[in-house]
Amino acid sequence: MIATADIHWLAGYLDADGCFFATGGGIYRSCCPIIQVAASDEDLVQKAARLMGILPEKIVRPPKQKNHYKQQYRFYVGSTLAASWMMTLYPLLCQRRKERIKKILGIWRGI
């Protein structure tokens, strides 16, 4: 079970550096909620992944676009796992994130 302090850390981190979005949602396709975490601090991305139950090998290192750019580390959480994290973190996030999550989950639920 995840500690309350870890949920609060994750909420703060995703509020600042996370991305909440959905794919699909058209007339003939269902919506898939997604949380993306991407940063140049590998230890922070690894911690977020561990807390969210993501295996370390799911963290990708996309090629640097320019040599002087920092290395990026990224992972995605999708579908029901992303939706459950959105609902868990919702009360701890800023208003802008809450509005985005409310919209994503409304489409996902078919509301």
Side-chain angles (χ1 to χ4, degrees), residues 54-60:
I54 303 302
L55 297 173
E57 54 268 17
K58 296 293 183 181
I59 299 171
V60 296

Side-chain angles (χ1 to χ4, degrees), residues 14-111:
L14 293 179
D15 216 354
D17 286 337
C19 182
F20 298 86
F21 63 100
T23 61
I27 279 183
Y28 301 106
R29 297 186 318 183
S30 61
C31 166
C32 180
I34 296 174
I35 299 172
Q36 176 186 312
V37 177
S40 60
D41 296 306
E42 185 177 16
D43 57 335
L44 296 179
V45 174
Q46 287 177 345
K47 180 175 181 177
R50 181 178 48 79
L51 293 175
M52 296 178 85
I54 303 302
L55 297 173
E57 54 268 17
K58 296 293 183 181
I59 299 171
V60 296
R61 296 176 57 184
K64 292 198 269 184
Q65 294 184 4
K66 295 190 178 179
N67 282 340
H68 64 279
Y69 286 2
K70 291 182 178 180
Q71 178 64 56
Q72 288 285 307
Y73 303 90
R74 179 183 312 148
F75 71 89
Y76 297 89
V77 176
S79 194
T80 54
L81 182 58
S84 67
W85 274 112
M86 288 178 188
M87 289 183 265
T88 299
L89 300 171
Y90 182 87
L92 303 170
L93 300 173
C94 71
Q95 190 60 38
R96 181 174 63 89
R97 298 285 192 188
K98 286 180 179 179
E99 289 169 9
R100 182 76 175 142
I101 288 171
K102 192 184 251 184
K103 183 177 180 179
I104 292 166
L105 294 180
I107 295 168
W108 179 65
R109 290 178 175 161
I111 297 172

Side-chain angles (χ1 to χ4, degrees), residues 1-12:
M1 181 172 200
I2 188 168
T4 302
D6 288 332
I7 292 173
H8 285 244
W9 180 89
L10 189 58

